[in-house]
Each structure stands twice: as structure tokens, then as C-alpha cells.
Amino acid sequence: MSLQQNLKEIAGKIPAGVTLIAVSKTQPAEKISELYAAGHRVFGENRAQELAMKYDVLPRDIQWHMIGHLQTNKIKYIAPFVHLIHSVDSEKLLAEINRQGSKLGRVIPCLLQVHIAEEETKFGFSPDELGQLLASRGMEEMKNVSVRGLMGMATFTSDEGQVRREFRMLRSLFEKLKDSVSPLNVKMEELSIGMSGDFHIAIEEGSTMVRVGTAIFGERIKPQNQ
Ligand SMILES: *Cc1c(COP(=O)(O)O)cnc(C)c1O
């Protein structure tokens, strides 16, 4: 099947109101152009420099999502234009994004990544750390970031029950935070869960954004484990 047909097939499984982010990491700009020509505008990358290089050569109305672990010294490559940073996994990173936003006169939209998987290697806040951050004075003072919701990655397992439990845990945290008083720069609107192997479960569990790579582009050549 062609890339455009793959996209169409996946898009057909995504209900209205859920954003399909085509994860184009490691894929050449030409493949992104092919999906752009089919009308798709929302792409995700996990490396800041790769994202910035693609931004430079591709049409300006693409919405670029940063979904991978971000080092503070790489924020500068994407801060001027990034649509949403999904992978904010520490207060230090959020503070630095805020600092760069302030230099640019821009409010940078972010999601807070929560550690929901059993695996030790996944980045993110614990639910407790998240609560502390959102209640802190420091959070309120970060006027150049806008926290729009949460992101999570389930354990890489064929056990659908476990994946569902992990998504459900994040959803209930999301709902709890949505209902609680929060600083003006925090609005719980987006829940970024679901990848190629588990987006159908994530949608059933309340996802508003799915990040789909291999199901659209096919297997990546370079292994990526972020
Ligand atoms: C690579 C990646 C995806 C997409 O993974 P696929 O299994 O190829 O759909 C989603 N989220 C993050 C954070 C990623 O790094």
C-alpha cells in the first residue's frame, strides 16, 4: 500500500476530536511531503535538531509536535515554532522552556509526561511529583509556558490488559487534575496516549491525541527506543 493509503486507513480508525500525529522520526522529508500533499498537517518528531531541519525545508503550515525526551540545551532549536512539546519530564526542563519562551515573547504549549509504564527506562513525572509541581508557586510564575495536558507511554507488552490499566490510571489522574483548581497557565485538555500498537486501546480509554509512526510509515530503518 502507498503511504497515502496507509494514512487514510489509520485516519479512518480515529474518531473526530482525536488528533492523529504522524510520527515521522527517521523518515525523509519527501515522505512527509507525500502525506502533506494528501492534506495531513500534523507531524511528530523525537529529536530537536531533526525536527528543526525538517521545519526548515517543509511548508510552514505544518504543526510540529515534539514527542521525545528533550535536553535543555536543545530547546532552542524548536522553541520559536513548535506546536506542542509532549515530553516535558522535569520541572527543570519546563523552567528552561519558559525562559526561552520569555526571550522569544512566546507562550509555548506543553504536555507533562507521566511515568505510567512498569519499565524503569521511561521518562516522566510520578503522579506525586506532578501534583507537587502543579501546586507549586514556581508553576504559577511560568508565564511563557501553557500546560495543556498529559502524555504517557504504556509498557511495551502484548498484554492488552496491562496497557489498558496503565492508560486508565493516567486518564483518571487527568480527570482529577481537570476538576481541581490549578494555576492559570495549566488547562487539562489533551491526553496524549496511544502509538501504532495500542492506539485503539488508548482511544477507548479517552485519548485526545495519538502518536502513530510505524503503522503509517512502515518499520523504521534505525531502531528508536525513546
Ligand atoms: C516513536 C514514537 C511513537 C510512535 O511509535 P510507533 O510505534 O512507531 O507508532 C510515539 N510516541 C513516542 C514518544 C515515540 O518516540
Side-chain angles (χ1 to χ4, degrees):
M1 269 207 294
S2 77
L3 211 49
Q4 295 194 0
Q5 281 169 325
N6 283 352
L7 175 73
K8 206 171 159 198
E9 190 176 313
I10 301 294
K13 296 177 184 165
I14 312 286
V18 176
T19 304
L20 171 58
I21 300 167
V23 175
S24 50
K25 62 188 185 194
T26 78
Q27 306 294 344
E30 298 75 62
K31 291 204 175 177
I32 299 173
S33 293
E34 250 181 271
L35 297 184
Y36 183 90
H40 199 73
R41 295 291 180 270
V42 188
F43 293 89
E45 291 281 337
N46 70 339
R47 289 166 192 264
Q49 278 143 302
E50 184 176 342
L51 194 163
M53 272 161 45
K54 288 172 176 172
Y55 168 79
D56 272 344
V57 300
L58 287 159
R60 285 297 141 100
D61 60 341
I62 289 179
Q63 293 179 10
W64 289 105
H65 290 247
M66 177 64 191
I67 63 170
H69 178 63
L70 181 59
Q71 290 167 308
T72 50
N73 62 343
K74 304 279 171 66
I75 300 167
K76 59 176 183 278
Y77 297 114
I78 59 170
F81 63 86
V82 67
H83 187 77
L84 181 64
I85 303 176
H86 292 230
S87 42
V88 178
D89 55 8
S90 71
E91 180 166 359
K92 180 173 159 247
L93 179 60
L94 189 65
E96 187 55 26
I97 295 170
N98 181 65
R99 202 179 69 80
Q100 306 237 0
S102 144
K103 264 174 45 185
L104 294 162
R106 182 170 188 233
V107 176
I108 302 179
C110 295
L111 303 181
L112 301 175
Q113 183 172 355
V114 183
H115 183 280
I116 54 171
E118 252 176 20
E119 294 145 321
E120 288 293 326
T121 54
K122 299 273 156 79
F123 295 100
F125 292 92
S126 71
D128 282 348
E129 290 167 343
L130 189 69
Q132 280 164 25
L133 170 66
L134 293 177
S136 70
R137 170 67 62 85
M139 182 67 243
E140 221 169 4
E141 288 169 352
M142 294 191 227
K143 308 282 185 212
N144 290 87
V145 292
S146 154
V147 172
R148 299 280 172 81
L150 305 180
M151 184 270 232
M153 287 169 87
T155 302
F156 186 71
T157 170
S158 56
D159 180 351
E160 291 208 351
Q162 182 177 351
V163 170
R164 192 179 293 280
R165 280 193 299 280
E166 292 173 358
F167 285 156
R168 206 167 272 183
M169 202 262 301
L170 188 59
R171 166 78 184 278
S172 82
L173 183 62
F174 175 74
E175 297 295 337
K176 196 178 96 190
L177 293 172
K178 205 180 202 175
D179 292 342
S180 61
V181 182
S182 54
L184 288 175
N185 54 351
V186 177
K187 280 211 169 54
M188 289 291 151
E189 290 165 347
E190 303 288 356
L191 183 60
S192 170
I193 49 174
M195 309 176 22
S196 292
D198 57 21
F199 72 84
H200 59 291
I201 305 175
I203 287 169
E204 286 168 9
E205 299 302 334
S207 175
T208 68
M209 291 184 154
V210 292
R211 312 176 307 267
V212 180
T214 45
I216 296 172
F217 290 98
E219 289 298 327
R220 285 179 288 276
I221 303 179
K222 273 189 288 176
Q224 292 274 337
N225 46 23
Q226 289 195 5

